[in-house]
Amino acid sequence: MKRILRDERGMALAVAIFALVVVGALVAGAFFAGTQEQRVAENTKRVQQSFGIADAGLAEVVRTWNPVAINQRGTYPGDSIQVAQTRSPSGTGSYGGVVYKLNPNLYLLDVTGADSMSRANRIRGGGARQRLGMITRIRPLQININASLTTQGNVDLSGNAAVDGNDHLPPSWTDCDPLDTNRAGVRTTSTGTVTTSGNATVTGTPTVVNDPTLTSSAFTQYGDVDYNQLAARASITLSGGTYTTEPVITGGVCDKNRLTNWGDGINQ
């Protein structure tokens, strides 16, 4: 039979090009998958970092709580307290937000944290930010108040001294709670006596109550806080001596540089 020769010149080049295309696609796919994994990991890192900064910001707002700047502000929505942008101690980011006073004892802390790269707008799309909220409240000291004056001994009032167990609303105070139940004027032990002379007066419901259950713990234990724990929280300490405490008003506000200025409750 006659042999037929086929022209197969150039097949090696075509196969090589096809192989290069396949290998290139595989390499490109591997690089794409690796890049995606890297970006996901970086985003997760920044989200967690921003969450930690926001969480630390909430704790820092509570730790540095300023009663004058926060407690004496108006309630939401009429007022709010801004938390300035603050850099985290480790320098990994910053936080800021708002404190809302919901009522005299309840507060909402709204803090947003961002990592340093996101805050500097170096990340495409704005980077990672985390916004956290915390409901917190001021825990009132648990003092069992049953009278205007509580003592374990005898009471002798003279001059113009006055003891009043009735609840009153101070003049010009507009955000006080409703009047509470009237209390006794003086509460003392079962053997204690109360005497008055001059213009001294004792009023209340009743005027005097003799309580046989009254012990010294009533003066040193306040719920789960004792006197030593309470004294350790004092921010102003006066040495022993004789002092006269009175409001000192400068420019219409209390002069807080005077340690004997205990305020008048109206001019803060």
Side-chain angles (χ1 to χ4, degrees):
M1 296 178 62
K2 185 178 179 180
R3 298 182 63 185
I4 299 176
L5 299 178
R6 296 182 179 180
D7 188 2
E8 296 182 354
R9 290 178 298 177
M11 288 298 296
L13 180 60
V15 172
I17 293 175
F18 179 77
L20 287 175
V21 171
V22 173
V23 172
L26 293 175
V27 172
F31 273 109
F32 177 78
T35 302
Q36 290 297 99
E37 289 291 335
Q38 182 183 11
R39 289 178 178 176
V40 170
E42 289 181 351
N43 291 339
T44 302
K45 173 186 175 182
R46 298 195 185 284
V47 167
Q48 292 298 323
Q49 193 174 50
S50 300
F51 180 89
I53 293 171
D55 191 33
L58 288 174
E60 190 67 11
V61 172
V62 174
R63 188 187 70 84
T64 59
W65 193 273
N66 188 333
V68 175
I70 300 178
N71 295 12
Q72 299 176 5
R73 296 289 292 270
T75 57
Y76 177 81
D79 196 5
S80 61
I81 303 94
Q82 296 294 321
V83 178
Q85 285 294 328
T86 305
R87 191 172 179 82
S88 62
S90 59
T92 56
S94 60
Y95 63 87
V98 186
V99 177
Y100 301 100
K101 183 177 181 181
L102 305 181
N103 62 41
N105 292 324
L106 192 65
Y107 295 82
L108 170 62
L109 280 59
D110 181 359
V111 172
T112 300
D115 65 283
S116 57
M117 297 293 288
S118 300
R119 181 63 63 186
N121 293 324
R122 299 177 183 175
I123 305 299
R124 181 182 302 175
R129 287 175 173 82
Q130 290 289 299
R131 183 181 181 185
L132 300 181
M134 174 189 291
I135 296 290
T136 186
R137 67 181 180 88
I138 298 175
R139 187 180 69 170
L141 196 63
Q142 298 298 322
I143 301 179
N144 188 19
I145 301 176
N146 293 313
S148 177
L149 173 63
T150 300
T151 180
Q152 283 189 284
N154 300 327
V155 178
D156 184 9
L157 301 175
S158 61
N160 293 319
V163 177
D164 189 352
N166 301 312
D167 195 14
H168 298 275
L169 183 64
S172 73
W173 286 29
T174 59
D175 57 350
C176 292
D177 293 332
L179 294 177
D180 197 356
T181 304
N182 295 327
R183 308 291 182 179
V186 178
R187 176 190 177 201
T188 184
T189 58
S190 57
T191 59
T193 60
V194 178
T195 58
T196 60
S197 60
N199 295 323
T201 60
V202 179
T203 56
T205 308
T207 304
V208 178
V209 58
N210 294 98
D211 187 356
T213 65
L214 181 61
T215 62
S216 58
S217 63
F219 305 93
T220 59
Q221 192 69 35
Y222 318 104
D224 58 349
V225 179
D226 59 31
Y227 176 80
N228 293 330
Q229 293 173 324
L230 182 63
R233 300 179 185 178
S235 58
I236 298 176
T237 304
L238 297 177
S239 58
T242 301
Y243 298 93
T244 299
T245 59
E246 60 182 350
V248 179
I249 307 300
T250 302
V253 297
C254 287
D255 184 359
K256 300 174 184 177
N257 294 323
R258 299 284 294 270
L259 297 182
T260 55
N261 177 17
W262 290 7
D264 63 359
I266 298 178
N267 300 288
Q268 305 296 341

